Amino acid sequence: SSLPEWLVVPSSATDPQLLEAARHFRGGRPPLWCWSSPRGATLVRMSDIQPFIADRRSIVVSGGSEILSSFRPDTASWTLPRVKENTMLETVRKSHPRLAQPKVMELNKDVPTPREVQVSFVKLRELCAPENVRQFWVQDSHFLSLLEGSRWLYHASVCLAKAKEAASGLHNEFTVVLQEGDGYDMCCVVASLAQMLIDPHFRTVVGFQSLVQKEWVALGHPFCTRLGHVYNIETQEAPVFLLFLDCVWQLLQQFPADFQMTETYLTTLWDSAHISVFETFLFDCERDRKLAKSEPNNPLTLRPVWDWGEQFSDRDVSLFYNPLYCPPTQLPPPLPVETGVSALQVWSQCYFRFIPSMEIIGGGKPQVDLSCRLLVSQLDRLEREMQYSPPPQASPSPLSQQPTVARVGSFFPFSRRADSGPVAAALLVSSLSLNTSFQSTEGMLDSQSILNAPD
């Protein structure tokens, strides 16, 4: 099974019930707990029931004798799996404080399949990684039509819409059950996004890491298969995790002060998923991870990707934190995300950073980010000076001594391009921005540093 050793399941379900019911769900995945609200509404994931299942059972025939028979792929073969599914949903209902019926969202009807995600990604990759300058300018003349043809933003729109629907149901104190195929692809996307919309904890760096570890790694998203770490013609590659990160990036654009992480953090996380020295995104399930660790001849030393100090300096890691993040003082309503395709953008830092012609020196989001870090640091310094020491009587205005910020490219810090003007002044340490001082863009995080992780 692709499930971890320990699971949270409805309290009214017994172990024999779960073991029996699991046989009737694809991948052996009955309803599994993901998240609960303070009032008891629960987010649950499960896979589809098996379409055809041979279930040997005793059938009483005339004369009182018993024979063993097997279901065949006809109408009767659906009956028992459907009964088991309804039994499990009933245990979910009993776990609700008001015994309310759960809301079942069948994701297969709307969200893309892994195959559709892969086809869409290939078209997007061809658009964002032209072979030469001539191809770039040819594509540029009808870029929007090619982007629409890839359907990448459409898939992100559908995932965000489903997550918004799930978060709304949870906010209204209904238990929401996400059901999808094998239960380890688009369920991961929608469940994770829904929790980010409704729970501010998962919008912090630590909370986001725990969310990925819980919903993706522990619950068995097949990273090895989907990311193509080991080539196999029979497996289906699909960057489902990238689609999720893109959706998170869309949330960052719509709610810039509600997330502690930055787009640099998300881009780096996607790059790190392809570095095999880290085990976080290396296996298909916990069972494979344990087998690799316990290999008698060549045991694997497990190194999680979350220890960013293994790859980057503290100065680099500071760029993972949003200087404008404002944590809520109380539990707010779900984020009112706009899910239409017209409200979404192209994640230029991640997709276009390998096209030098598209980089804007002194412009784009990185330049705004550095300016915000400088302003936050100045405000923090002024507050500390006013609190601990009175200002001198005849001192120049702090505003007249503003340091300058280096002009960086729109793909910073994944590009070393910058102007030859004044070197950036030191950004003062700020407890608010969690930012460390750096004098210039030299040595900052770039597209090569992630490939030079220590062995």
Side-chain angles (χ1 to χ4, degrees), residues 46-105:
M46 71 177 185
S47 64
D48 287 337
I49 59 175
Q50 297 280 11
F52 305 118
I53 183 168
D55 185 18
R56 299 183 65 84
R57 64 172 186 174
S58 296
I59 299 180
V60 179
V61 296
S62 59
S65 61
E66 292 185 355
I67 62 172
L68 288 177
S69 177
S70 297
F71 279 106
R72 295 180 179 179
D74 52 18
T75 305
S77 67
W78 283 87
T79 304
L80 186 58
R82 187 65 68 185
V83 169
K84 296 298 182 181
E85 180 187 52
N86 292 336
T87 301
M88 288 293 98
L89 290 177
E90 177 64 14
T91 62
V92 173
R93 185 190 70 83
K94 291 180 180 179
S95 301
H96 194 278
R98 295 185 285 106
L99 303 180
Q101 286 289 348
K103 178 181 179 181
V104 180
M105 296 177 57

Side-chain angles (χ1 to χ4, degrees), residues 271-288:
D271 290 341
S272 300
H274 297 83
I275 302 178
S276 58
V277 297
F278 301 107
E279 53 83 20
T280 306
F281 307 115
L282 193 59
F283 300 99
D284 281 347
C285 60
E286 288 293 305
R287 179 177 178 273
D288 292 350

Side-chain angles (χ1 to χ4, degrees), residues 136-205:
F136 167 75
W137 288 114
V138 170
Q139 292 179 343
D140 184 68
S141 61
H142 48 283
F143 173 82
L144 293 179
S145 60
L146 291 174
L147 178 62
E148 181 182 12
S150 72
R151 295 178 64 83
W152 184 260
L153 291 183
Y154 172 76
H155 294 329
S157 171
V158 172
C159 292
L160 287 170
K162 286 298 176 182
K164 183 178 182 179
E165 180 183 349
S168 176
L170 293 168
H171 181 66
N172 293 325
E173 301 305 327
F174 287 100
T175 289
V176 176
V177 179
L178 304 178
Q179 186 174 28
E180 169 246 352
D182 293 316
Y184 52 54
D185 282 306
M186 304 314 296
C187 262
C188 298
V189 177
V190 177
S192 300
L193 291 174
Q195 292 173 71
M196 296 189 75
L197 291 178
I198 199 170
D199 193 337
H201 170 67
F202 297 119
R203 302 172 206 158
T204 65
V205 171

Side-chain angles (χ1 to χ4, degrees), residues 192 206-220 223 241 279-281 286 289 304-306:
S192 300
V206 173
F208 182 79
Q209 292 176 178
S210 67
L211 179 69
V212 173
Q213 197 70 30
K214 171 172 69 82
E215 296 295 332
W216 294 79
V217 179
L219 288 183
F223 281 105
F241 188 58
E279 53 83 20
T280 306
F281 307 115
E286 288 293 305
R289 182 175 284 102
V305 73
W306 311 119

Side-chain angles (χ1 to χ4, degrees), residues 308-318 320 436 443-445:
W308 297 112
E310 291 285 336
Q311 299 187 65
F312 311 115
S313 66
D314 292 341
R315 185 170 54 182
D316 292 336
V317 174
S318 69
F320 294 167
T436 54
M444 296 305 295
L445 184 66

Side-chain angles (χ1 to χ4, degrees), residues 28 37 72 83 91 105 120 140 163 186 192 254 268 295 324 337 342 364 378 382 397:
S37 71
R72 295 180 179 179
V83 169
T91 62
M105 296 177 57
S120 179
D140 184 68
M186 304 314 296
S192 300
Q254 296 189 29
T268 305
E295 174 64 31
L324 300 181
V337 57
S342 60
Q378 286 181 306
L382 290 175
S397 171

Side-chain angles (χ1 to χ4, degrees), residues 257-271:
D258 290 288
F259 290 83
Q260 189 182 30
M261 75 284 292
T262 63
E263 68 169 344
T264 298
Y265 174 87
L266 299 177
T267 304
T268 305
L269 185 60
W270 170 242
D271 290 341

